[in-house]
Amino acid sequence: MNKVRTRFAPSPTGALHAGTVRTALFAWLVARQNQGEFILRIEDTDQARSDQNAINNITATLKYVGLDWDEGPGIGGKFGPYTQSERLDIYRDWANKLIENGRAYPDNTSQEHLEVMRQADKKAGRAFLFRNHRPKTTPAKASDTPLRFLSDPKSYSWVDLVMGDLSAGPEAVDDFILIKSDGYPTYNFAHIIDDYLMDISHVIRSQEFISSVPKYLNLYEALGIKVPLFATVPQVVGESGTRKLSKREGAKQLLEYQTMGVLPEAMLNFLATIGWNDGSEQEIFSKEELIKKFTLQRVQRSPGQFDEKRLLWLNGHYIRELQFDELVKLSDGYWSKSASKFDQAYKNRVLKLVQSRLKYLDELGALTSFFFEDLPIKPGLISTHKKLKDLTAQQLTDLLTKTLNELERSDFSLEDIKTRLDKLLEETSQTPAVLFSLIRIATTQSEASPELAESLEVLGKDTVLRRIKNSISSTEKA
């Protein structure tokens, strides 16, 4: 078996989102599980839209997810250069071979004339194919004259490692542009040359290219080069489930999730399981397990759906699994401004309380701000609370006063706080859903927090008593 070599070949025209990176991940997994090589190639032939910032985004995104490349920008390799704009002489040489073999011709058909031909075919009720309008005479070859492939229409059958047996008739084969007027090759031409010269064994790409495969096969034949294995990855749709994941569909660029504090391990796991599973109910996969278990044959043929809630659930799992010292390091920079006034020991106590609740690191500040500052009292938290809204102001005041009196006698050790809270439940004949919710709101100005007793212990006696007194005063004024 020839060495497995896969590639990820993005166009640097914008930031990467989940659908594109999932395709890169599948190619990376195929290479790694076969002890092969994964190549990064930058396809910047669209000079009007290519951007260095986009190239930076590509490399940064792959590094964030943990997809290392064996050859490509920043590394080099024996098949370089790995940026298409640096390979123009190579494409011209191959284009000349096609001209010599009568399989390419200069064509300066204007966009306006192309539209006239399209409308004529539409009016006649037939599909537009440029080969049906080939000019009888072609212009002299010049550096600014586009070069078009002269196709040889025929039927094709091929095997796709994801989609299975596929076929298309001659109507899918047409003449297409090889070299544009600016001297740069089109994707349809350049990627075939590059894949061949770089010994790519598996071309793994998204579904948008599948209709062009017959044209590619026709070009492979004209060039006399071996066809690699094809694997077409279905698109990723947005949360609506109907449209391709895109900025319009609300897709974030992937690095935004890094900024949010989504761990690389969670993102890798999430992307791999959009439209793929190993046949079991397993949802959590380490990188090593993915390399071992992944197969293209188990990639589903229907679109995979992007589900941000599932991503954050996965991330919460990985955060809970972190060694605490590692979480401390990763959390640096995510604390609220008010936390800067407190020492690391206190912040560590807070962090231990919320580790099991964190879904992403950027919510650390909002989840823990009450540990570092007295938040404004929000009367609406009580008036709209399903268990508290029917209590009168006097009932609320009585419950808070009894709580204040009981906690004033506490030494504020965790066990003593728990004992006194249980005692209050008995004395007030209230349920935890009522009494503990009221105490939680009074001391944190939030309906949700870590375990109540643990939160009170970390806040400390002076802070807890002061906040309950303030809440009593606010309730009495209401």
Side-chain angles (χ1 to χ4, degrees):
M1 177 179 177
N2 295 332
K3 191 173 186 66
V4 170
R5 286 172 59 83
T6 67
R7 48 74 160 175
F8 177 51
S11 297
T13 55
L16 297 185
H17 59 70
T20 308
V21 181
R22 183 190 69 153
T23 302
L25 171 58
F26 287 177
W28 182 88
L29 288 170
V30 170
R32 293 291 173 259
Q33 68 183 192
N34 289 284
Q35 292 77 49
E37 290 155 348
F38 176 67
I39 291 83
L40 173 61
R41 186 172 72 226
I42 303 299
E43 299 197 338
D44 62 342
T45 57
D46 187 347
Q47 287 291 289
R49 298 175 60 214
S50 294
D51 177 68
Q52 182 59 46
N53 290 331
I55 296 176
N56 296 340
N57 177 275
I58 290 167
T59 56
T61 301
L62 294 183
K63 288 176 181 177
Y64 159 48
V65 182
L67 304 186
D68 55 325
W69 55 97
D70 303 294
E71 299 171 25
I75 295 177
K78 63 181 180 179
F79 297 106
Y82 294 89
T83 300
Q84 287 187 332
S85 60
E86 300 173 13
R87 299 172 61 84
L88 300 186
D89 289 342
I90 296 172
Y91 308 128
R92 279 192 287 268
D93 288 344
W94 282 85
N96 287 333
K97 292 179 183 179
L98 289 171
I99 293 174
E100 292 168 3
N101 293 330
R103 298 303 302 274
Y105 57 96
D107 173 45
N108 57 9
T109 305
S110 67
Q111 289 299 317
E112 292 76 13
H113 191 197
L114 277 173
E115 186 59 29
V116 169
M117 291 189 291
R118 286 194 182 93
Q119 291 303 320
D121 280 349
K122 182 177 180 181
K123 188 175 181 179
R126 57 177 177 258
F128 172 72
L129 290 168
F130 188 90
R131 58 182 166 83
N132 293 332
H133 302 272
R134 282 177 193 156
K136 292 185 173 68
T137 61
T138 57
K141 181 183 175 186
S143 60
D144 61 348
T145 302
L147 187 69
R148 191 178 286 271
F149 176 58
L150 193 152
S151 62
D152 177 20
K154 60 182 66 176
S155 297
Y156 284 102
S157 296
W158 70 98
V159 176
D160 187 289
L161 297 179
V162 173
M163 296 297 182
D165 294 332
L166 299 175
S167 62
E171 68 279 358
V173 179
D174 196 13
D175 296 6
F176 57 88
I177 296 294
L178 301 170
I179 305 289
K180 298 175 289 184
S181 60
D182 62 3
Y184 281 79
T186 60
Y187 167 83
N188 291 338
F189 181 45
H191 87 273
I192 289 178
I193 303 302
D194 289 340
D195 287 343
Y196 172 69
L197 295 178
M198 294 180 184
D199 280 350
I200 300 302
S201 63
H202 295 64
V203 172
I204 301 169
R205 59 186 159 206
S206 59
Q207 193 169 6
E208 63 196 270
F209 297 103
I210 197 166
S211 62
S212 297
V213 170
K215 292 191 292 187
Y216 300 156
L217 292 172
N218 205 234
L219 180 55
Y220 279 110
E221 286 183 359
L223 293 169
I225 60 178
K226 182 180 178 182
V227 180
L229 297 173
F230 294 139
T232 301
V233 179
Q235 66 185 13
V236 175
V237 296
E239 296 193 1
S240 68
T242 58
R243 292 189 295 273
K244 181 181 177 182
L245 187 68
S246 63
K247 189 175 182 179
R248 180 181 298 179
E249 186 69 8
K252 298 183 179 77
Q253 61 168 289
L254 219 67
L255 288 182
E256 288 185 58
Y257 288 105
Q258 183 183 38
T259 302
M260 283 174 57
V262 172
L263 305 181
E265 299 85 353
M267 181 58 74
L268 189 78
N269 192 152
F270 173 70
L271 293 175
T273 50
I274 298 178
W276 172 85
N277 68 73
D278 67 339
S280 71
E281 298 297 318
Q282 183 175 346
E283 292 193 77
I284 307 298
F285 294 89
S286 67
K287 181 184 285 189
E288 292 71 26
E289 285 180 304
L290 288 172
I291 291 172
K292 180 180 179 181
K293 295 185 175 184
F294 179 81
T295 62
L296 288 167
Q297 288 72 23
R298 291 206 62 86
V299 175
Q300 67 185 29
R301 298 181 182 181
S302 56
Q305 186 169 7
F306 184 90
D307 183 351
E308 188 173 274
K309 290 181 179 178
R310 181 171 178 273
L311 169 61
L312 298 183
W313 171 80
L314 277 170
N315 197 54
H317 166 82
Y318 281 96
I319 288 175
R320 290 190 296 275
E321 293 295 308
L322 283 173
Q323 293 294 320
F324 186 70
D325 288 347
E326 182 65 17
L327 179 60
V328 171
K329 293 177 185 176
L330 293 174
S331 299
D332 188 36
Y334 288 102
W335 294 100
S336 63
K337 290 183 179 179
S338 55
S340 62
K341 302 174 184 177
F342 294 78
D343 62 26
Q344 190 61 48
Y346 180 75
K347 288 192 285 189
N348 287 354
R349 294 178 68 196
V350 173
L351 190 58
K352 283 182 179 177
L353 278 185
V354 300
Q355 181 173 6
S356 63
R357 299 173 61 84
L358 283 172
K359 296 187 294 297
Y360 55 96
L361 297 177
D362 198 36
E363 66 176 351
L364 180 62
L367 283 179
T368 63
S369 57
F370 66 84
F371 283 106
F372 305 104
E373 58 182 315
D374 290 345
L375 300 177
I377 291 176
K378 306 171 188 174
L381 289 176
I382 291 177
S383 63
T384 60
H385 193 283
K386 63 181 181 180
K387 295 294 185 180
L388 303 176
K389 63 183 180 179
D390 294 331
L391 296 180
T392 66
Q394 186 59 54
Q395 288 174 311
L396 294 169
T397 299
D398 288 346
L399 288 173
L400 287 172
T401 300
K402 289 179 180 178
T403 300
L404 178 66
N405 293 335
E406 188 63 39
L407 292 179
E408 280 180 332
R409 296 191 289 271
S410 175
D411 63 9
F412 254 68
S413 65
L414 181 59
E415 288 305 314
D416 190 59
I417 292 173
K418 288 181 177 180
T419 298
R420 292 183 185 278
L421 290 177
D422 288 341
K423 182 180 178 183
L424 281 166
L425 288 174
E426 292 183 16
E427 291 181 352
T428 61
S429 299
Q430 291 291 348
T431 64
V434 173
L435 182 62
F436 290 179
S437 294
L438 178 59
I439 298 171
R440 179 174 284 107
I441 291 173
T443 55
T444 71
Q445 292 306 307
S446 174
E447 290 186 10
S449 72
E451 293 296 328
L452 180 60
E454 284 80 354
S455 296
L456 297 181
E457 181 200 21
V458 172
L459 282 168
K461 186 171 185 176
D462 291 346
T463 297
V464 169
L465 297 183
R466 180 180 70 252
R467 292 181 181 180
I468 292 176
K469 289 175 183 178
N470 290 340
S471 188
I472 290 172
S473 177
S474 175
T475 302
E476 289 174 340
K477 293 176 182 178

